[in-house]
Amino acid sequence: MQLRFGIRTKLLLSILAILLLSYSTLLYSTMKTLSDASRTEIEKSLEANLKYARAVFQDRTEIVRYSLLQPLNSGNVQKHIAARERAWCADRIKRWQGVLPFLELMVLVDPQKNVIAGRLDTRNPVKELAAIADQAMARKKVVVSTEIVPASLVEGSRAFRPLQGELLMVTMAVPVIDRQGNILGCMLTGDVLNDDGSMAEAMRKVFGRDVEIAVTQRAQKISTSFAGDLSTAPPLTGAILEILERGEQFHGEVELAGQRYETVIDPLLNSRGELVGSISVSVSTGRYNKMRNTNLANILVSASLGIIASVLLALVASRHLTGPMRQLARGVARIQEGDLSQRVEERYHDEVGLLAGSFNKMAGALQERDRIITLKTQDLQELNEQLEKKVTERTRALTMEMGRLEAVLTSMAEGVVVTDADNRVILFNPAAQQMFELVPYRVVGQTMEHVCDIGGFTPLAGRIEEVRETGASGLKEEIVVKGKRLTVHLSSLLDEAGAFAGAVLSIRDVTVEQEVDRMKTDFISTVSHELKTPLTSMKGSLQLLLNRGKWLTDTERQLLTVCFNNTERLIRLIGEILDISGIESGGMAFNFNPVRIGEATAYAVEEIRSYAMGHGITIVNTVGDHLPMVLGDRDRLIQVITNLLSNAVKFSPEGKVVMVSAEHEGNYVTLSVSDRGKVIKWVDREKLFKKFQQIETANRQKVSGTGLGLAICKEIVERHHGRIFYTAAKEFGNTFSFTVPIIEEEHAKGNDTHC
């Protein structure tokens, strides 16, 4: 039995359904907005608190840097250090420790890393800090890193809680350099982070119980802004450590003291790029959840009250509406029976009254129906006559348009060939006749395979068949026929149903253009050779003036420095032009031998590491020695890796990590360099491997270059029978990769003895 509802019931059900849908949508959108707002606030709080925690370490480091640089650059201090006056140096270190009481380690060593003065036994060298001391003295600049050291290194300074006999220490190495640039020694300082009460107390006062700031040594907490026993704190999981070891931040949710906290963990790397610890910031989500629940309760209460009030109003409105509708239904029934004189009362001044007036007008309009149909038939005949006239005019216009198109095709310098669905030629312009050396009557109506055979264009037959099978467009083919170098563009024609209807071939003779391009390349190479010698002489002269010209004023020295820098830039530009010209012309020799890709990568990373540290970038090399040997020119492969690393450092934000990785794929080894810079736009990706092309960036004034680096990399990789390509990340990051073919194991072993 089918249920039948009246207007009143339908109206009530409709209003109730609309209210339920509206309030459900409102509830969902409000909860989503609140959740998104809470998430945004939590992320902002995490970012701000992490910056503050980082600032605590950086402020101490800057205090130590500026407190020690000035006295160590003093001539009097350097004189006593050069003389190895241990008693005087020990007294001076004692004074400096009074100024910097938070330092647990302050040791002065000579260039051989023997202790001159400090809190250590002067008979033993500082073995644990030898690496950072070597870096500082080699670079002649201050080096700061976070290191894990034995607890015995600072024994007796104050009580610490070491982990397995080790401590996490912010270490600074300050080289002592005299006015002649000679290394007199190195000052080593250390600030232990284990159980740092002053830092924990300061952060506890700032953030309270809603935020925890913690420092870990490897996976275990060693300092926190929460009061409690650190030995019971759970260590970081393996999944978190795996993310931190890649130099990336971890974002997630953890439970602290029975509450849920959103957490961000930032890795701490030592001077060798290894993970030694982390800084974590945790924000409580309880306050945000409470606010969300309160808003949800308020919405549910207001929704219930609104539904009740709306149902009551709908009952009153439906009673007022259904009476006139019943009267109108009776009038429609009488019209159906043939009583066209039937009328209804128009006593309402609302939509129902308008409907009654429309009903009365409809009854009178039925009498005019036959007359209107006759008039419309006459109008339709007139429209048909006008349509025939327009079709005739349009046909004449199309004929004229076809004549213009034929004139354009006839006058074109490029050859144009058009085929139908059966691959038979239907159009063959004069330029194509000259290139194929065929007359139209021997071509039109013939299959394209037959035309290619008699015209000497056999290589095109396979590409045309590919277009027929796949329906592809935009294919390009370069062929040499009868001494001419031709560029052929192939596109498919589709009918209204999207099926293959033919193909279009555009043929262009580029013989003269390529000859002009070759002459231009030879001219640039010749000019570059002629310019390189005088520029080298100018560089040497400017360098001599800058090194020995003590009489120069600041302005003159600045101008000479600008000249020297621009001369170096021109020499680099000329060198790159000569490299790419030599590769293109085949004049550059490649010495192919078995190469270990891991060794080549390590050499390139060490070569670029100081440049990366100057930009605040950390390079992480994950290329191992397990990869098979490749066949290539070792120096040229190092040049490719160095160019890719240099580009990654240039376009990476300060403080980010550049990853170098490699993997064995089939007969090739694929090496990739990944950065965390802004993703390259689609419109710029076609220019990546072209000569003299540079990508527009927001800080273009800070990035200099010739636009030849990637072009040189492409030529070198292709000479190794590999390929180079670009891959973009979803949000941030770019990856440049290239492949190099491997060699057979027996061949590699046989040649390895000669390497």
Side-chain angles (χ1 to χ4, degrees):
M1 180 178 179
Q2 186 176 3
L3 296 177
R4 299 180 64 182
F5 297 102
I7 295 177
R8 182 184 300 178
T9 304
K10 292 180 180 178
L11 180 61
L12 289 176
L13 292 177
S14 300
I15 292 175
L16 184 60
I18 292 173
L19 289 174
L20 291 176
L21 179 61
S22 301
Y23 280 107
S24 299
T25 304
L26 176 62
L27 180 62
Y28 172 78
S29 61
T30 303
M31 294 306 299
K32 188 175 186 304
T33 302
L34 289 174
S35 299
D36 293 341
S38 300
R39 173 59 57 185
T40 302
E41 290 297 325
I42 291 173
E43 290 179 354
K44 289 182 179 179
S45 178
L46 287 173
E47 183 179 358
N49 295 331
L50 183 59
K51 288 183 179 179
Y52 176 81
R54 276 289 190 183
V56 172
F57 296 100
Q58 294 176 356
D59 289 345
R60 285 190 176 185
T61 302
E62 292 301 318
I63 291 172
V64 175
R65 181 195 299 268
Y66 291 112
S67 298
L68 294 180
L69 278 177
Q70 184 174 0
L72 290 177
N73 288 328
S74 170
N76 182 39
V77 174
Q78 292 182 354
K79 180 180 67 175
H80 289 285
I81 293 175
R84 305 294 189 271
E85 298 182 10
R86 298 180 182 273
W88 188 92
C89 293
D91 179 69
R92 182 62 59 160
I93 289 177
K94 185 176 181 180
R95 294 183 185 180
W96 292 338
Q97 285 181 328
V99 178
L100 305 169
F102 55 85
L103 292 179
E104 285 77 21
L105 174 68
M106 187 176 290
V107 180
L108 179 64
V109 299
D110 60 14
Q112 289 74 36
K113 298 183 290 299
N114 296 317
V115 177
I116 299 176
R119 292 177 56 184
L120 296 180
D121 186 357
T122 58
R123 294 174 299 174
N124 297 324
V126 188
K127 297 180 180 180
E128 294 79 6
L129 306 178
I132 189 173
D134 289 337
Q135 291 182 14
M137 290 188 288
R139 301 173 186 170
K140 296 185 179 181
K141 61 187 293 186
V142 178
V143 176
V144 180
S145 69
T146 306
E147 303 287 342
I148 293 180
V149 300
S152 60
L153 190 64
V154 294
E155 185 176 359
S157 59
R158 62 183 176 89
F160 295 106
R161 181 180 294 172
L163 291 179
Q164 299 179 355
E166 295 178 331
L167 297 172
L168 186 66
M169 185 169 67
V170 178
T171 308
M172 177 182 290
V174 184
V176 182
I177 307 171
D178 61 11
R179 297 183 182 277
Q180 289 74 31
N182 300 319
I183 300 296
L184 301 179
C186 183
M187 175 66 74
L188 300 173
T189 66
D191 182 6
V192 178
L193 302 180
N194 297 63
D195 299 329
D196 193 340
S198 61
M199 184 191 74
E201 181 65 25
M203 293 183 177
R204 191 180 302 116
K205 291 180 179 179
V206 174
F207 302 111
R209 292 291 299 174
D210 287 336
V211 179
E212 185 211 26
I213 308 295
V215 180
T216 67
Q217 178 178 332
R218 291 192 176 95
Q220 187 66 43
K221 287 185 180 179
I222 59 174
S223 180
T224 177
S225 60
F226 279 8
D229 188 3
L230 291 174
S231 61
T232 62
L236 300 181
T237 63
I240 297 177
L241 289 176
E242 183 179 353
I243 295 174
L244 297 178
E245 287 174 353
R246 296 198 301 266
E248 300 176 358
Q249 289 185 347
F250 168 79
H251 293 264
E253 187 173 299
V254 297
E255 183 174 350
L256 299 174
Q259 297 184 16
R260 303 302 298 178
Y261 284 77
E262 286 289 336
T263 301
V264 58
I265 305 177
D266 202 22
L268 293 175
L269 306 178
N270 63 9
S271 58
R272 297 177 297 277
E274 301 170 346
L275 179 69
V276 296
S278 65
I279 302 175
S280 65
V281 176
S282 302
V283 177
S284 175
T285 60
R287 178 167 59 88
Y288 301 101
N289 293 333
K290 183 178 180 181
M291 178 179 65
R292 183 179 60 185
N293 294 335
T294 301
N295 283 279
L296 176 61
N298 294 335
I299 292 173
L300 291 175
V301 171
S302 62
S304 300
L305 295 176
I307 290 174
I308 294 172
S310 300
V311 170
L312 294 177
L313 291 175
L315 285 172
V316 176
S318 62
R319 184 182 297 274
H320 179 74
L321 179 63
T322 54
M325 294 297 292
R326 290 192 181 95
Q327 182 184 4
L328 187 61
R330 289 193 294 268
V332 170
R334 292 183 179 180
I335 289 290
Q336 185 178 5
E337 293 173 357
D339 186 4
L340 298 179
S341 62
Q342 179 64 33
R343 299 291 185 270
V344 296
E345 297 182 4
E346 302 180 21
R347 60 181 179 176
Y348 297 101
H349 301 286
D350 54 9
E351 287 79 0
V352 176
L354 294 175
L355 182 59
S358 299
F359 175 81
N360 294 332
K361 291 179 181 179
M362 180 190 67
L366 291 175
Q367 299 174 1
E368 300 293 327
R369 179 179 57 183
D370 292 338
R371 185 178 62 85
I372 293 174
I373 292 175
T374 302
L375 293 175
K376 293 297 181 182
T377 302
Q378 294 176 357
D379 294 340
L380 183 60
Q381 291 177 352
E382 293 178 0
L383 289 175
N384 286 334
E385 294 176 357
Q386 294 178 5
L387 180 60
E388 291 178 357
K389 184 184 296 184
K390 288 184 177 181
V391 168
T392 303
E393 294 176 354
R394 185 58 180 166
T395 303
R396 188 182 300 110
L398 288 175
T399 303
M400 186 179 298
E401 189 69 24
M402 287 294 293
R404 294 195 189 102
L405 179 61
E406 185 176 356
V408 170
L409 291 175
T410 302
S411 60
M412 284 181 61
E414 294 185 356
V416 177
V417 181
V418 182
T419 66
D420 58 12
D422 297 326
N423 204 27
R424 294 184 179 277
V425 177
I426 59 175
L427 179 63
F428 200 73
N429 74 339
Q433 298 173 26
Q434 295 179 0
M435 294 177 185
F436 280 79
E437 296 182 359
L438 296 173
V439 293
Y441 76 88
R442 295 189 59 191
V443 175
V444 176
Q446 300 293 327
T447 62
M448 198 61 200
E449 291 83 356
H450 177 67
V451 174
C452 290
D453 289 340
I454 63 177
F457 286 74
T458 306
L460 282 179
R463 301 292 283 174
I464 296 171
E465 187 64 26
E466 180 181 349
V467 171
R468 292 188 61 194
E469 293 177 355
T470 63
S473 295
L475 297 181
K476 182 179 179 181
E477 183 79 13
E478 293 187 358
I479 60 175
V480 178
V481 178
K482 300 178 182 178
K484 297 179 181 179
R485 188 173 297 273
L486 305 176
T487 300
V488 183
H489 294 270
L490 299 95
S491 299
S492 61
L493 295 175
L494 303 179
D495 57 16
E496 295 179 354
F500 179 78
V504 178
L505 285 74
S506 176
I507 308 170
R508 182 182 178 189
D509 189 347
V510 296
T511 306
V512 177
E513 294 180 5
Q514 291 193 352
E515 181 64 21
V516 172
D517 187 61
R518 184 190 63 78
M519 294 172 64
K520 179 180 66 175
T521 302
D522 293 343
F523 174 75
I524 292 174
S525 177
T526 303
V527 171
S528 300
H529 276 290
E530 295 298 328
L531 289 176
K532 188 172 184 181
T533 301
L535 283 174
T536 304
S537 300
M538 291 169 63
K539 175 184 174 183
S541 302
L542 291 171
Q543 189 171 11
L544 180 63
L545 288 174
L546 288 172
N547 291 337
R548 298 186 179 181
K550 298 181 179 180
W551 45 268
L552 295 173
T553 65
D554 292 341
T555 302
E556 292 171 341
R557 182 171 294 278
Q558 183 179 4
L559 292 174
L560 287 174
T561 302
V562 171
C563 294
F564 180 76
N565 292 336
N566 283 311
T567 302
E568 280 193 324
R569 181 174 177 274
L570 286 174
I571 291 175
R572 288 196 304 270
L573 174 60
I574 290 172
E576 291 180 350
I577 291 174
L578 291 176
D579 282 347
I580 197 166
S581 297
I583 295 173
E584 290 179 346
S585 63
M588 180 177 291
F590 282 77
N591 185 18
F592 289 95
N593 285 299
V595 178
R596 297 188 184 277
I597 197 68
E599 294 180 358
T601 304
Y603 185 90
V605 170
E606 288 301 321
E607 184 177 345
I608 205 71
R609 191 179 296 279
S610 60
Y611 174 71
M613 294 184 69
H615 285 72
I617 303 298
T618 301
I619 299 178
V620 177
N621 180 15
T622 62
V623 181
D625 295 331
H626 64 284
L627 296 170
M629 298 183 69
V630 300
L631 183 63
D633 189 320
R634 182 176 183 273
D635 294 337
R636 296 303 173 189
L637 292 178
I638 292 175
Q639 182 180 359
V640 172
I641 301 171
T642 303
N643 280 347
L644 295 181
L645 286 172
S646 175
N647 283 345
V649 170
K650 284 181 183 178
F651 293 96
S652 291
E654 185 175 356
K656 296 298 182 179
V657 175
V658 173
M659 297 289 297
V660 186
S661 60
E663 57 183 359
H664 180 198
E665 298 179 348
N667 296 326
Y668 292 88
V669 169
T670 302
L671 190 140
S672 302
V673 177
S674 303
D675 60 50
R676 298 292 294 170
K678 188 175 181 181
V679 176
I680 299 173
K681 299 179 181 178
W682 279 101
V683 296
D684 293 331
R685 294 180 186 177
E686 295 182 356
K687 304 186 295 185
L688 284 177
F689 300 102
K690 295 182 180 180
K691 294 182 288 186
F692 302 105
Q693 296 289 340
Q694 288 185 294
I695 305 302
E696 294 291 339
T697 60
N699 59 343
R700 177 66 184 271
Q701 65 276 11
K702 299 181 181 180
V703 180
S704 61
T706 62
L708 289 174
L710 290 178
I712 293 174
C713 292
K714 179 176 181 293
E715 295 292 340
I716 293 176
V717 170
E718 289 180 351
R719 286 292 299 272
H720 283 78
H721 305 289
R723 67 186 186 95
I724 186 169
F725 54 93
Y726 164 80
T727 306
K730 292 184 178 179
E731 295 181 357
F732 291 97
N734 303 280
T735 300
F736 286 87
S737 307
F738 69 92
T739 61
V740 186
I742 64 173
I743 56 178
E744 298 179 359
E745 184 176 358
E746 295 77 7
H747 186 201
K749 291 181 178 180
N751 288 291
D752 192 41
T753 59
H754 303 287
C755 293

